[in-house]
Amino acid sequence: MNTNKDVWVLVEAEDGKISRHATALLEEGKKLAAELSGELHALYLGPELGGIGAEAGARGAGKLYACIDGKLRQYDPLRYQQVILNLLKKQQPRLLLALSSSLGSDLLPRLAFNLHSPLVSNCAEIEVEADGELLFMKPVHKGRLFAKVRCQGEGIRIASYLPERLPSCDEAGAGSPAELVALGAAAEDKAAAIQVTGFLKADHRTIDITEADIIVAVGRGVGSKESFGLVQKLADGIGGAIGGTRPMVDAGVIPYERQIGQTGKRVAPRLIFLLGISGATEFVQGIVGGATTVAVNLDRQSPVFKAADLGIVGDLEQLMPTIVKHVRDLTGSDSRA
Amino acid sequence: MSGAESVLTSPERMAALLLLLAVAILAVSIVCRRVALIRSGRPVAAAPEGTGGALARFLLYVPGQWSNIRNLSMKDLAGIQHLMLFWGALFFFVYYALFFFVGDALGFASLLRGSALAQGFLGLTELFGVLLIVALIWGLARRTLLKPARLGPHFEGGLFAAITVAASALLICYFGLEALRFNLQTVSYTGPVSGLFADWLAALPSGTQAQLFHTAWWIQTAMLACFMVYVPYSDHQHAIFAPFNILASHPQPHGRFSPSGLQESYRGLAGPTDFTWKQMLEVYGCTQCGRCQEACPAATAGKALSPKKIIQHVRGSIDEAGKLVPFWHKAEAAGSVELQHRVCDEEVWSCTTCMACAEACPAFVSPLDKIVDLRRDRVMARSRFFPELTNLFRDLENFGDVFGKGKSRREDWTLGGDVRVLSEQGQADTLFWVGCQASFHDRHTKSAKSVAEVLAKGGVDMAIMGKGELCCGDPLRRLGNEYQYRNFVRKNIENLKKLHFKRIVTYCPHCYNTLKNEYPQFGGEFEVIHYTELLQDLIGSGSLKLKKQLPAKVAYHDPCYLARGNNLTKGREVLDALPGASTLDVERSGAKTFCCGGGGGAMWMRETGGAKINELRVRELVQDGPEVIATSCPYCVVMLEDGIRSLGVENVKCKDLIEMVRESV
């Protein structure tokens, strides 16, 4: 029987540091490790990342297994697989956790297959039962039902966690940095079946708004088509996807696929601009996951300001050109970022 | 021997008799096959009703034709036409059964025609014959020239022209034959119309008249044979089935939806085997008059849904399964009896469950009942619904309310106020059922506070359920998610039964309707009132004094789930009691009110094309230039407010009635 109680978390980087979802996953791993009375360790593959040891340590990781290699800047399934497989076979943790990101969704099945280990994808919750076994909760049938999964057999359990189900966490306090365990890079194999040649960034103009990190949402207050042109410029400047309220869809300004709210889609961006939106409950309900919210509205009393991190009272017709100009100055151009 | 039998030869009488018998057997077999279909339907939980009530309803609506008289208006006089058709057809039915079949064909004419009673009856029949011709031409004109929208989109002008020609031929033969009987001296009297015919025909030599008699008599026999097959086979079968449907339709509040989803094996209306016998009887009782279509907000807005079309789809499915599709409809047959192929998604999901179709139907048919069962099939058996509903269902299942906020936040609106939460040990006179909208929605939490404040001022001993309250289940049932609906109802009844109170007062008409009409289906019998009822009592008894003047012209929008679903229009009386407020007449009000567009889960679904229902309603409400549109339903408030804004109507505000009362107290 696998007596190891350790929990490993595969962390992903974003903008030169551990991604915010990965930090939240570390917190989740810490909780589980404590309940299992084991230890939390982090696992990272990729280019040099400043302060990663300190951050992982502050989130409770005892060790950081890191394979630092500039060539791993982009995800390469076979090389990732090789490095991690060797390590897992040797260390046999109880649980390997990763995010249900494109990386996690691709890598974990490969690992599970090679290790003959059970894999639970897209978990919404993980509990430790009285007998020390893990109980995984995951939405099935497009989230209409929740399944409880208990794995059979021994050995490593592998699970991916839905990022939207992770609570956003505060700044970490000081903690001792994690002990760095360097891993050797996998040899490059020109004959490998999969060769990663590059990645294409999602086009913010065509991305599904439920997957967009940045959204510029428009409401009735945007008014004319001309101001909508400026909204498009702002969105292009910051790489945001355009969304909006039901009246804007009814007026034919944006297509239904971009409608946010009770009768449209539910979005979970990191940053959202609410332009000329009054903030009716029916709309606000469509934004989940604690996005940073910037609201611009004429009416000081508008309920939208209750939900905003930054509220600007003003006329969009006047403000938009200034905002667009600012963004252009900051990003250096108005090309698609 | 005198009498028709002296003109008609025995062989030809025998031939006619055999022909009519053969046709009658065919007609009866068609009716029997339909009856067998109806009898094969699933059982219905019978609502107890004395035979007296059923009989009174039958007399009022069948011979009394009350539906047609009740619905008369200057815009729509077709009720008179139907009245003429109904009574005319009835007289001729008796005439042909008695004087033609028994009299002419069997040879008892001289026996039957001798009495003064017969003479009186025949005279009256002639007058009805004239009315029938007028009604037939009127009907044809409506189908070919006037074309009122409710008869569309298929006016079937050709079919009705054929019917009119055939029926007119029948009637002219009838007048001619009655005249010839007198001229050929087989009877000693004429009626008011046949008298004229007799004068015209008297100029002909008697041999020609006798020949004419034979010809007309055979034309009449042939036409009769045609009608005997046509009626049970066609849309005019309602003449046979509608009276039975009326007899079987114990009236319930429109707001009480059928619990037929309760049978364990039932997952909604998927095909011909899923109908209850009552549903099939209703479908066969449908007259296709289109009053449902005229009243339906979705059809009015030009969306895909027409309640009349739903009944036609459904009937097509039953007919096809029973191999009873009339040959002139064969081309339209969809080829599949499964309703998921016959009724498209936009039709099923455009319905706002406003009950206007059921209310408008003169023959006690409820298209709504079928639509909800179709939704049950799509949700429970097929998972086929708009993806945005997944959010709603998930929120309800996981958090117990339509906003996905959770139990822990249900009492948040009371913060800073003085509202008591009823404990299991405590006792209260009135339990205030707040509902999801008033508990969580920014706009309506203010209304919840107003209700609490006003009731406190009126001296009502009131408490709320707090965290024990879940969604009442209204959107779930109306969206076809009967399975989850039942879970909610059971949990709520369980929680309510733990508490000690006398009555429940609700803020939302949807909660009111569900608790009052539908909870008893699951053993939850409570006294439930809407806050407008309570306010009216309090104002009437003087416990609540409305002091402050609110000078405003107000148009009151009756919420469907009060006015139509439960015949409750107390809101209007409360409004009348508000000092200074003057109430304007609204085009459609009371039980005929027009939907705001937000019911039946429409609040959580995309627009399905066509105009917006809330805009149509706002246009109607602002006709007389009100300053305030008042209503007493949270859905209506949101929809009408949005309509006012999107139409850009200036100087009109939408207010919840309770807001106005609180201002005035």
Side-chain angles (χ1 to χ4, degrees), chain B residues 532 535-536 539-540 544 546-558 569-586 589 630-631 657 660-661 664:
Chain B
T532 49
L535 283 188
Q536 209 248 343
I539 295 167
L544 192 67
L546 303 175
K547 294 168 210 152
K548 205 178 141 208
Q549 291 280 326
L550 293 174
K553 281 196 284 180
V554 187
Y556 184 71
H557 165 80
D558 277 307
T569 52
K570 299 272 185 189
R572 213 165 266 284
E573 292 169 34
V574 173
L575 196 57
D576 288 339
L578 279 178
S582 59
T583 322
L584 301 173
D585 278 337
V586 173
S589 59
T631 185
L657 193 58
M660 302 183 73
V661 173
S664 176

mmCIF file of all heavy atoms in Angstrom, chain B residues 532 535-536 539-540 544 546-558 569-586 589 630-631 657 660-661 664:
data_model
loop_
_atom_site.group_PDB
_atom_site.id
_atom_site.type_symbol
_atom_site.label_atom_id
_atom_site.label_comp_id
_atom_site.label_asym_id
_atom_site.label_seq_id
_atom_site.Cartn_x
_atom_site.Cartn_y
_atom_site.Cartn_z
ATOM 1 N N THR B 532 -51.404 41.946 -1.690
ATOM 2 C CA THR B 532 -52.428 42.926 -2.091
ATOM 3 C C THR B 532 -53.762 42.625 -1.401
ATOM 4 O O THR B 532 -54.501 43.544 -1.050
ATOM 5 C CB THR B 532 -52.638 42.913 -3.613
ATOM 6 O OG1 THR B 532 -52.809 41.565 -4.052
ATOM 7 C CG2 THR B 532 -51.459 43.508 -4.346
ATOM 8 N N LEU B 535 -53.344 43.868 2.159
ATOM 9 C CA LEU B 535 -53.384 45.328 2.197
ATOM 10 C C LEU B 535 -54.813 45.820 2.080
ATOM 11 O O LEU B 535 -55.244 46.716 2.805
ATOM 12 C CB LEU B 535 -52.565 45.918 1.041
ATOM 13 C CG LEU B 535 -51.051 45.919 1.194
ATOM 14 C CD1 LEU B 535 -50.430 46.709 0.059
ATOM 15 C CD2 LEU B 535 -50.643 46.522 2.525
ATOM 16 N N GLN B 536 -55.550 45.219 1.167
ATOM 17 C CA GLN B 536 -56.919 45.659 0.962
ATOM 18 C C GLN B 536 -57.746 45.467 2.232
ATOM 19 O O GLN B 536 -58.529 46.327 2.606
ATOM 20 C CB GLN B 536 -57.518 44.883 -0.209
ATOM 21 C CG GLN B 536 -58.575 45.652 -0.962
ATOM 22 C CD GLN B 536 -59.932 45.028 -0.761
ATOM 23 O OE1 GLN B 536 -60.014 43.874 -0.338
ATOM 24 N NE2 GLN B 536 -60.969 45.788 -1.034
ATOM 25 N N ILE B 539 -56.613 48.105 4.784
ATOM 26 C CA ILE B 539 -57.115 49.438 4.442
ATOM 27 C C ILE B 539 -58.613 49.487 4.706
ATOM 28 O O ILE B 539 -59.130 50.431 5.316
ATOM 29 C CB ILE B 539 -56.808 49.786 2.970
ATOM 30 C CG1 ILE B 539 -55.301 49.892 2.760
ATOM 31 C CG2 ILE B 539 -57.478 51.097 2.585
ATOM 32 C CD1 ILE B 539 -54.871 49.909 1.312
ATOM 33 N N GLY B 540 -59.308 48.422 4.299
ATOM 34 C CA GLY B 540 -60.758 48.360 4.470
ATOM 35 C C GLY B 540 -61.167 48.414 5.931
ATOM 36 O O GLY B 540 -62.160 49.061 6.297
ATOM 37 N N LEU B 544 -54.877 50.215 8.510
ATOM 38 C CA LEU B 544 -53.792 50.879 7.793
ATOM 39 C C LEU B 544 -54.335 52.163 7.196
ATOM 40 O O LEU B 544 -55.291 52.145 6.422
ATOM 41 C CB LEU B 544 -53.275 49.954 6.688
ATOM 42 C CG LEU B 544 -51.960 50.362 6.039
ATOM 43 C CD1 LEU B 544 -50.823 50.261 7.030
ATOM 44 C CD2 LEU B 544 -51.672 49.476 4.832
ATOM 45 N N LEU B 546 -53.802 55.342 4.879
ATOM 46 C CA LEU B 546 -52.985 55.936 3.821
ATOM 47 C C LEU B 546 -53.166 57.446 3.920
ATOM 48 O O LEU B 546 -54.266 57.949 3.767
ATOM 49 C CB LEU B 546 -53.436 55.422 2.453
ATOM 50 C CG LEU B 546 -53.394 53.904 2.298
ATOM 51 C CD1 LEU B 546 -53.965 53.479 0.964
ATOM 52 C CD2 LEU B 546 -51.976 53.394 2.451
ATOM 53 N N LYS B 547 -52.064 58.126 4.210
ATOM 54 C CA LYS B 547 -52.199 59.556 4.510
ATOM 55 C C LYS B 547 -51.679 60.438 3.388
ATOM 56 O O LYS B 547 -52.356 61.311 2.888
ATOM 57 C CB LYS B 547 -51.419 59.886 5.794
ATOM 58 C CG LYS B 547 -52.019 59.222 7.031
ATOM 59 C CD LYS B 547 -51.043 59.343 8.192
ATOM 60 C CE LYS B 547 -51.217 58.148 9.136
ATOM 61 N NZ LYS B 547 -49.994 57.836 9.825
ATOM 62 N N LYS B 548 -50.424 60.156 3.001
ATOM 63 C CA LYS B 548 -49.769 61.088 2.093
ATOM 64 C C LYS B 548 -50.398 61.036 0.705
ATOM 65 O O LYS B 548 -50.680 59.971 0.168
ATOM 66 C CB LYS B 548 -48.290 60.739 2.003
ATOM 67 C CG LYS B 548 -47.436 61.922 1.609
ATOM 68 C CD LYS B 548 -45.982 61.552 1.567
ATOM 69 C CE LYS B 548 -45.342 62.250 0.375
ATOM 70 N NZ LYS B 548 -44.213 61.530 -0.160
ATOM 71 N N GLN B 549 -50.632 62.237 0.143
ATOM 72 C CA GLN B 549 -51.192 62.322 -1.203
ATOM 73 C C GLN B 549 -50.137 61.902 -2.235
ATOM 74 O O GLN B 549 -48.977 62.277 -2.144
ATOM 75 C CB GLN B 549 -51.599 63.780 -1.495
ATOM 76 C CG GLN B 549 -52.788 64.259 -0.691
ATOM 77 C CD GLN B 549 -54.104 63.791 -1.274
ATOM 78 O OE1 GLN B 549 -54.245 63.672 -2.477
ATOM 79 N NE2 GLN B 549 -55.060 63.489 -0.404
ATOM 80 N N LEU B 550 -50.546 61.096 -3.179
ATOM 81 C CA LEU B 550 -49.643 60.722 -4.269
ATOM 82 C C LEU B 550 -50.309 61.105 -5.588
ATOM 83 O O LEU B 550 -50.909 60.267 -6.249
ATOM 84 C CB LEU B 550 -49.390 59.217 -4.271
ATOM 85 C CG LEU B 550 -48.610 58.612 -3.113
ATOM 86 C CD1 LEU B 550 -48.608 57.112 -3.230
ATOM 87 C CD2 LEU B 550 -47.186 59.136 -3.099
ATOM 88 N N PRO B 551 -50.275 62.400 -5.908
ATOM 89 C CA PRO B 551 -51.004 62.797 -7.110
ATOM 90 C C PRO B 551 -50.296 62.265 -8.347
ATOM 91 O O PRO B 551 -49.216 62.733 -8.700
ATOM 92 C CB PRO B 551 -50.954 64.324 -7.057
ATOM 93 C CG PRO B 551 -49.814 64.651 -6.163
ATOM 94 C CD PRO B 551 -49.465 63.466 -5.337
ATOM 95 N N ALA B 552 -50.862 61.273 -8.956
ATOM 96 C CA ALA B 552 -50.256 60.716 -10.173
ATOM 97 C C ALA B 552 -51.314 59.963 -10.947
ATOM 98 O O ALA B 552 -52.246 59.389 -10.382
ATOM 99 C CB ALA B 552 -49.115 59.784 -9.800
ATOM 100 N N LYS B 553 -51.132 59.987 -12.270
ATOM 101 C CA LYS B 553 -51.987 59.153 -13.112
ATOM 102 C C LYS B 553 -51.310 57.789 -13.208
ATOM 103 O O LYS B 553 -50.141 57.697 -13.604
ATOM 104 C CB LYS B 553 -52.120 59.760 -14.504
ATOM 105 C CG LYS B 553 -53.130 60.912 -14.543
ATOM 106 C CD LYS B 553 -53.524 61.229 -15.971
ATOM 107 C CE LYS B 553 -52.406 62.007 -16.664
ATOM 108 N NZ LYS B 553 -52.727 62.345 -18.057
ATOM 109 N N VAL B 554 -52.039 56.766 -12.830
ATOM 110 C CA VAL B 554 -51.425 55.447 -12.744
ATOM 111 C C VAL B 554 -52.106 54.463 -13.683
ATOM 112 O O VAL B 554 -53.332 54.391 -13.738
ATOM 113 C CB VAL B 554 -51.519 54.896 -11.297
ATOM 114 C CG1 VAL B 554 -50.722 53.602 -11.184
ATOM 115 C CG2 VAL B 554 -51.021 55.919 -10.295
ATOM 116 N N ALA B 555 -51.282 53.739 -14.440
ATOM 117 C CA ALA B 555 -51.818 52.612 -15.224
ATOM 118 C C ALA B 555 -51.412 51.350 -14.489
ATOM 119 O O ALA B 555 -50.228 51.149 -14.219
ATOM 120 C CB ALA B 555 -51.234 52.617 -16.629
ATOM 121 N N TYR B 556 -52.389 50.542 -14.133
ATOM 122 C CA TYR B 556 -52.074 49.330 -13.371
ATOM 123 C C TYR B 556 -51.999 48.125 -14.292
ATOM 124 O O TYR B 556 -52.905 47.869 -15.075
ATOM 125 C CB TYR B 556 -53.116 49.104 -12.276
ATOM 126 C CG TYR B 556 -52.797 47.920 -11.391
ATOM 127 C CD1 TYR B 556 -51.744 47.979 -10.482
ATOM 128 C CD2 TYR B 556 -53.544 46.757 -11.464
ATOM 129 C CE1 TYR B 556 -51.439 46.904 -9.667
ATOM 130 C CE2 TYR B 556 -53.235 45.665 -10.653
ATOM 131 C CZ TYR B 556 -52.182 45.744 -9.754
ATOM 132 O OH TYR B 556 -51.883 44.669 -8.958
ATOM 133 N N HIS B 557 -50.887 47.424 -14.182
ATOM 134 C CA HIS B 557 -50.690 46.213 -14.976
ATOM 135 C C HIS B 557 -50.999 45.016 -14.086
ATOM 136 O O HIS B 557 -50.313 44.776 -13.096
ATOM 137 C CB HIS B 557 -49.243 46.157 -15.479
ATOM 138 C CG HIS B 557 -48.814 44.819 -15.999
ATOM 139 N ND1 HIS B 557 -49.131 44.368 -17.257
ATOM 140 C CD2 HIS B 557 -48.106 43.809 -15.417
ATOM 141 C CE1 HIS B 557 -48.625 43.152 -17.433
ATOM 142 N NE2 HIS B 557 -48.007 42.792 -16.331
ATOM 143 N N ASP B 558 -52.049 44.267 -14.421
ATOM 144 C CA ASP B 558 -52.408 43.079 -13.644
ATOM 145 C C ASP B 558 -51.424 41.961 -13.933
ATOM 146 O O ASP B 558 -51.277 41.552 -15.084
ATOM 147 C CB ASP B 558 -53.814 42.596 -14.051
ATOM 148 C CG ASP B 558 -54.908 43.361 -13.341
ATOM 149 O OD1 ASP B 558 -54.855 43.422 -12.104
ATOM 150 O OD2 ASP B 558 -55.813 43.878 -14.024
ATOM 151 N N THR B 569 -57.754 40.592 -8.333
ATOM 152 C CA THR B 569 -57.428 41.933 -8.835
ATOM 153 C C THR B 569 -57.497 42.946 -7.707
ATOM 154 O O THR B 569 -57.880 44.095 -7.908
ATOM 155 C CB THR B 569 -58.385 42.346 -9.967
ATOM 156 O OG1 THR B 569 -59.716 42.164 -9.492
ATOM 157 C CG2 THR B 569 -58.182 41.516 -11.206
ATOM 158 N N LYS B 570 -57.116 42.521 -6.506
ATOM 159 C CA LYS B 570 -57.188 43.421 -5.344
ATOM 160 C C LYS B 570 -56.203 44.579 -5.471
ATOM 161 O O LYS B 570 -56.390 45.618 -4.860
ATOM 162 C CB LYS B 570 -56.875 42.654 -4.063
ATOM 163 C CG LYS B 570 -57.832 41.529 -3.788
ATOM 164 C CD LYS B 570 -59.038 41.996 -3.012
ATOM 165 C CE LYS B 570 -59.858 40.804 -2.695
ATOM 166 N NZ LYS B 570 -61.109 40.889 -2.150
ATOM 167 N N GLY B 571 -55.140 44.357 -6.234
ATOM 168 C CA GLY B 571 -54.145 45.403 -6.400
ATOM 169 C C GLY B 571 -54.782 46.691 -6.891
ATOM 170 O O GLY B 571 -54.455 47.789 -6.458
ATOM 171 N N ARG B 572 -55.729 46.530 -7.803
ATOM 172 C CA ARG B 572 -56.452 47.660 -8.361
ATOM 173 C C ARG B 572 -57.230 48.406 -7.263
ATOM 174 O O ARG B 572 -57.271 49.635 -7.242
ATOM 175 C CB ARG B 572 -57.426 47.121 -9.410
ATOM 176 C CG ARG B 572 -57.692 47.996 -10.563
ATOM 177 C CD ARG B 572 -58.347 47.185 -11.659
ATOM 178 N NE ARG B 572 -57.345 46.679 -12.593
ATOM 179 C CZ ARG B 572 -56.768 47.431 -13.508
ATOM 180 N NH1 ARG B 572 -57.090 48.699 -13.624
ATOM 181 N NH2 ARG B 572 -55.867 46.929 -14.323
ATOM 182 N N GLU B 573 -57.831 47.632 -6.350
ATOM 183 C CA GLU B 573 -58.598 48.261 -5.271
ATOM 184 C C GLU B 573 -57.677 49.009 -4.315
ATOM 185 O O GLU B 573 -58.019 50.085 -3.824
ATOM 186 C CB GLU B 573 -59.410 47.199 -4.510
ATOM 187 C CG GLU B 573 -60.521 46.615 -5.374
ATOM 188 C CD GLU B 573 -61.172 45.385 -4.762
ATOM 189 O OE1 GLU B 573 -61.295 45.317 -3.525
ATOM 190 O OE2 GLU B 573 -61.553 44.476 -5.537
ATOM 191 N N VAL B 574 -56.498 48.416 -4.066
ATOM 192 C CA VAL B 574 -55.525 49.112 -3.213
ATOM 193 C C VAL B 574 -55.131 50.422 -3.869
ATOM 194 O O VAL B 574 -55.054 51.470 -3.219
ATOM 195 C CB VAL B 574 -54.278 48.223 -2.983
ATOM 196 C CG1 VAL B 574 -53.191 48.997 -2.249
ATOM 197 C CG2 VAL B 574 -54.661 46.967 -2.224
ATOM 198 N N LEU B 575 -54.922 50.350 -5.169
ATOM 199 C CA LEU B 575 -54.533 51.542 -5.914
ATOM 200 C C LEU B 575 -55.623 52.612 -5.822
ATOM 201 O O LEU B 575 -55.338 53.800 -5.635
ATOM 202 C CB LEU B 575 -54.309 51.145 -7.379
ATOM 203 C CG LEU B 575 -53.551 52.118 -8.255
ATOM 204 C CD1 LEU B 575 -52.189 52.402 -7.665
ATOM 205 C CD2 LEU B 575 -53.405 51.532 -9.641
ATOM 206 N N ASP B 576 -56.887 52.184 -5.919
ATOM 207 C CA ASP B 576 -57.995 53.129 -5.815
ATOM 208 C C ASP B 576 -58.037 53.803 -4.449
ATOM 209 O O ASP B 576 -58.497 54.929 -4.313
ATOM 210 C CB ASP B 576 -59.328 52.405 -6.071
ATOM 211 C CG ASP B 576 -59.491 52.045 -7.539
ATOM 212 O OD1 ASP B 576 -58.818 52.688 -8.367
ATOM 213 O OD2 ASP B 576 -60.260 51.121 -7.852
ATOM 214 N N ALA B 577 -57.550 53.081 -3.424
ATOM 215 C CA ALA B 577 -57.592 53.636 -2.071
ATOM 216 C C ALA B 577 -56.452 54.611 -1.816
ATOM 217 O O ALA B 577 -56.448 55.323 -0.814
ATOM 218 C CB ALA B 577 -57.527 52.494 -1.060
ATOM 219 N N LEU B 578 -55.465 54.652 -2.730
ATOM 220 C CA LEU B 578 -54.334 55.567 -2.532
ATOM 221 C C LEU B 578 -54.796 56.998 -2.754
ATOM 222 O O LEU B 578 -55.304 57.321 -3.825
ATOM 223 C CB LEU B 578 -53.208 55.251 -3.516
ATOM 224 C CG LEU B 578 -52.267 54.104 -3.175
ATOM 225 C CD1 LEU B 578 -51.254 53.933 -4.303
ATOM 226 C CD2 LEU B 578 -51.553 54.363 -1.868
ATOM 227 N N PRO B 579 -54.642 57.862 -1.751
ATOM 228 C CA PRO B 579 -55.128 59.229 -1.924
ATOM 229 C C PRO B 579 -54.376 59.963 -3.040
ATOM 230 O O PRO B 579 -53.147 59.918 -3.089
ATOM 231 C CB PRO B 579 -54.876 59.879 -0.558
ATOM 232 C CG PRO B 579 -53.966 58.988 0.177
ATOM 233 C CD PRO B 579 -54.058 57.633 -0.419
ATOM 234 N N GLY B 580 -55.124 60.570 -3.907
ATOM 235 C CA GLY B 580 -54.507 61.401 -4.948
ATOM 236 C C GLY B 580 -54.256 60.662 -6.244
ATOM 237 O O GLY B 580 -54.238 61.266 -7.313
ATOM 238 N N ALA B 581 -54.080 59.336 -6.179
ATOM 239 C CA ALA B 581 -53.759 58.594 -7.398
ATOM 240 C C ALA B 581 -55.028 58.381 -8.227
ATOM 241 O O ALA B 581 -56.067 58.052 -7.684
ATOM 242 C CB ALA B 581 -53.141 57.249 -7.047
ATOM 243 N N SER B 582 -54.922 58.624 -9.517
ATOM 244 C CA SER B 582 -56.070 58.334 -10.372
ATOM 245 C C SER B 582 -55.703 57.189 -11.302
ATOM 246 O O SER B 582 -54.637 57.185 -11.917
ATOM 247 C CB SER B 582 -56.475 59.563 -11.168
ATOM 248 O OG SER B 582 -55.396 59.988 -11.961
ATOM 249 N N THR B 583 -56.562 56.189 -11.352
ATOM 250 C CA THR B 583 -56.257 54.982 -12.111
ATOM 251 C C THR B 583 -56.794 55.101 -13.529
ATOM 252 O O THR B 583 -57.949 55.476 -13.733
ATOM 253 C CB THR B 583 -56.906 53.758 -11.444
ATOM 254 O OG1 THR B 583 -56.806 53.927 -10.032
ATOM 255 C CG2 THR B 583 -56.219 52.488 -11.854
ATOM 256 N N LEU B 584 -55.964 54.796 -14.482
ATOM 257 C CA LEU B 584 -56.382 54.850 -15.884
ATOM 258 C C LEU B 584 -56.890 53.488 -16.313
ATOM 259 O O LEU B 584 -56.503 52.470 -15.753
ATOM 260 C CB LEU B 584 -55.191 55.236 -16.770
ATOM 261 C CG LEU B 584 -54.526 56.569 -16.466
ATOM 262 C CD1 LEU B 584 -53.266 56.705 -17.308
ATOM 263 C CD2 LEU B 584 -55.472 57.722 -16.759
ATOM 264 N N ASP B 585 -57.744 53.489 -17.307
ATOM 265 C CA ASP B 585 -58.187 52.218 -17.869
ATOM 266 C C ASP B 585 -57.063 51.656 -18.737
ATOM 267 O O ASP B 585 -56.402 52.392 -19.457
ATOM 268 C CB ASP B 585 -59.435 52.418 -18.735
ATOM 269 C CG ASP B 585 -60.675 52.476 -17.875
ATOM 270 O OD1 ASP B 585 -60.613 51.939 -16.743
ATOM 271 O OD2 ASP B 585 -61.683 53.050 -18.314
ATOM 272 N N VAL B 586 -56.882 50.362 -18.653
ATOM 273 C CA VAL B 586 -55.857 49.722 -19.468
ATOM 274 C C VAL B 586 -56.554 48.778 -20.437
ATOM 275 O O VAL B 586 -57.530 48.115 -20.082
ATOM 276 C CB VAL B 586 -54.868 48.941 -18.571
ATOM 277 C CG1 VAL B 586 -53.900 48.137 -19.413
ATOM 278 C CG2 VAL B 586 -54.121 49.900 -17.671
ATOM 279 N N SER B 589 -56.938 44.134 -19.186
ATOM 280 C CA SER B 589 -56.723 44.057 -17.752
ATOM 281 C C SER B 589 -57.572 42.942 -17.169
ATOM 282 O O SER B 589 -58.314 42.274 -17.881
ATOM 283 C CB SER B 589 -57.054 45.403 -17.099
ATOM 284 O OG SER B 589 -58.384 45.737 -17.378
ATOM 285 N N ALA B 630 -47.949 50.930 -12.468
ATOM 286 C CA ALA B 630 -47.843 50.178 -11.223
ATOM 287 C C ALA B 630 -48.172 48.727 -11.481
ATOM 288 O O ALA B 630 -48.974 48.405 -12.359
ATOM 289 C CB ALA B 630 -48.799 50.745 -10.184
ATOM 290 N N THR B 631 -47.536 47.854 -10.722
ATOM 291 C CA THR B 631 -47.863 46.445 -10.803
ATOM 292 C C THR B 631 -47.519 45.811 -9.466
ATOM 293 O O THR B 631 -47.054 46.502 -8.559
ATOM 294 C CB THR B 631 -47.129 45.770 -11.979
ATOM 295 O OG1 THR B 631 -47.565 44.426 -12.075
ATOM 296 C CG2 THR B 631 -45.628 45.814 -11.799
ATOM 297 N N LEU B 657 -46.477 48.190 -6.434
ATOM 298 C CA LEU B 657 -47.580 48.746 -5.659
ATOM 299 C C LEU B 657 -47.166 48.993 -4.210
ATOM 300 O O LEU B 657 -47.535 50.004 -3.612
ATOM 301 C CB LEU B 657 -48.761 47.778 -5.709
ATOM 302 C CG LEU B 657 -50.096 48.313 -5.231
ATOM 303 C CD1 LEU B 657 -50.506 49.522 -6.026
ATOM 304 C CD2 LEU B 657 -51.154 47.235 -5.342
ATOM 305 N N MET B 660 -45.544 52.254 -3.572
ATOM 306 C CA MET B 660 -46.466 53.393 -3.521
ATOM 307 C C MET B 660 -47.190 53.430 -2.183
ATOM 308 O O MET B 660 -47.379 54.494 -1.600
ATOM 309 C CB MET B 660 -47.477 53.302 -4.665
ATOM 310 C CG MET B 660 -46.802 53.263 -6.027
ATOM 311 S SD MET B 660 -47.971 53.242 -7.375
ATOM 312 C CE MET B 660 -48.567 54.917 -7.335
ATOM 313 N N VAL B 661 -47.593 52.248 -1.717
ATOM 314 C CA VAL B 661 -48.303 52.206 -0.435
ATOM 315 C C VAL B 661 -47.387 52.693 0.683
ATOM 316 O O VAL B 661 -47.794 53.473 1.541
ATOM 317 C CB VAL B 661 -48.807 50.772 -0.143
ATOM 318 C CG1 VAL B 661 -49.382 50.670 1.254
ATOM 319 C CG2 VAL B 661 -49.855 50.363 -1.164
ATOM 320 N N SER B 664 -47.152 56.284 0.872
ATOM 321 C CA SER B 664 -48.375 56.957 1.296
ATOM 322 C C SER B 664 -48.666 56.772 2.786
ATOM 323 O O SER B 664 -49.362 57.582 3.385
ATOM 324 C CB SER B 664 -49.546 56.418 0.462
ATOM 325 O OG SER B 664 -50.746 56.977 0.895
#
